[in-house]
Amino acid sequence: MVQQDIGKIIRKKKRIRKKKRIRKEKRKRKKKRIRKEKRKRKKKRIRKKKRIRKEKRIRKEKRIRKEKRIRKEKRIRKEKRIRKEKRIRKEKRIRKEKRIRKEKRMRKKKRVRKDKRIRKNNRIRKDKRIRKNKRIRKKKRIKKKKRIRKEKTRIRKEKN
């Protein structure tokens, strides 16, 4: 009877130990699972953060590229405008110079024409003067001749 009781007690203790061990193992497995899940969540979180950072960086780079392109386009437009203004100024200057040369030429032509006219007038006046002088000299000569003839006739008459 006592031996039976001892056997019962031993079996009970064994059963209790087994249950304890099973509970311990269950707890261990649970802890392991929890740790695993925690680790998984952590990795997930880290991956998410990484992805977000990457996307942020990509957006930033995209924005920088866009700004760069816009600046480049702006610069190109500015240079184009400057070149256009330069060309316009050059054309204006060329037109002005052309006009000035034309005016100069016209003034010269006018002057030349004026000079020509003056020379012509001078020549005409000179010709007139020469003709007048010639006429006067001729008249004088004729007068002189007449006087001489007159004188001669008078002398002849006196002789007679």
Side-chain angles (χ1 to χ4, degrees):
M1 192 80 187
V2 176
Q3 217 171 346
Q4 228 179 355
D5 282 343
I6 290 173
K8 219 180 181 183
I9 290 170
I10 289 174
R11 277 198 307 277
K12 197 181 178 186
K13 275 188 177 180
K14 246 185 169 180
R15 203 171 50 245
I16 288 173
R17 270 203 306 274
K18 199 183 175 189
K19 273 187 178 179
K20 244 185 170 181
R21 201 182 68 242
I22 289 175
R23 269 204 306 276
K24 203 181 173 188
E25 285 176 359
K26 230 182 170 184
R27 216 172 33 249
K28 234 183 169 182
R29 277 201 305 275
K30 197 181 177 189
K31 275 187 177 179
K32 211 179 172 187
R33 198 182 67 240
I34 288 175
R35 270 203 309 273
K36 203 182 173 189
E37 285 174 359
K38 236 183 168 183
R39 220 172 32 246
K40 234 185 171 182
R41 277 201 304 276
K42 198 181 175 190
K43 275 186 176 180
K44 213 180 172 188
R45 203 172 56 244
I46 289 176
R47 273 202 308 274
K48 197 182 175 190
K49 275 188 176 178
K50 253 187 164 179
R51 199 185 66 240
I52 289 176
R53 272 203 304 273
K54 196 184 175 192
E55 287 173 355
K56 223 178 168 186
R57 199 186 68 241
I58 289 176
R59 274 202 305 275
K60 196 183 174 191
E61 289 174 352
K62 215 180 170 188
R63 197 185 68 241
I64 289 177
R65 275 201 305 275
K66 196 184 175 192
E67 288 174 352
K68 223 180 166 186
R69 199 187 68 240
I70 289 177
R71 274 201 304 275
K72 196 185 174 192
E73 288 173 353
K74 219 178 170 187
R75 199 186 69 240
I76 289 177
R77 275 201 305 275
K78 196 182 173 192
E79 289 175 350
K80 215 180 170 188
R81 198 185 68 241
I82 289 178
R83 276 201 305 276
K84 196 184 175 193
E85 288 174 354
K86 222 179 166 186
R87 199 185 68 240
I88 289 178
R89 275 202 303 274
K90 196 183 174 192
E91 288 174 355
K92 222 178 168 186
R93 200 185 68 239
I94 289 177
R95 275 202 305 274
K96 196 182 174 193
E97 289 175 352
K98 217 179 169 187
R99 199 184 67 241
I100 289 177
R101 275 201 305 275
K102 196 183 176 195
E103 287 175 357
K104 226 178 165 185
R105 206 172 55 241
M106 289 311 274
R107 275 202 302 274
K108 195 181 173 197
K109 253 186 171 179
K110 226 177 168 185
R111 205 176 60 240
V112 165
R113 277 206 302 272
K114 195 181 174 194
D115 285 357
K116 232 178 163 182
R117 201 174 63 243
I118 289 177
R119 277 202 303 276
K120 192 181 177 199
N121 286 346
N122 282 350
R123 200 179 63 244
I124 290 175
R125 274 205 296 276
K126 195 180 173 194
D127 284 358
K128 253 183 165 180
R129 205 173 60 245
I130 288 177
R131 277 201 306 277
K132 193 182 175 195
N133 285 347
K134 228 178 168 185
R135 206 169 54 245
I136 290 176
R137 275 203 307 276
K138 196 180 177 191
K139 271 187 175 180
K140 268 187 175 178
R141 209 172 53 244
I142 290 174
K143 230 177 175 184
K144 196 180 174 190
K145 272 186 174 180
K146 243 183 174 182
R147 205 182 66 241
I148 290 175
R149 251 198 329 273
K150 217 177 176 187
E151 193 69 33
K152 269 186 174 179
T153 47
R154 194 181 55 80
I155 292 174
R156 222 177 27 251
K157 271 185 181 179
E158 272 182 16
K159 263 190 174 179
N160 283 339

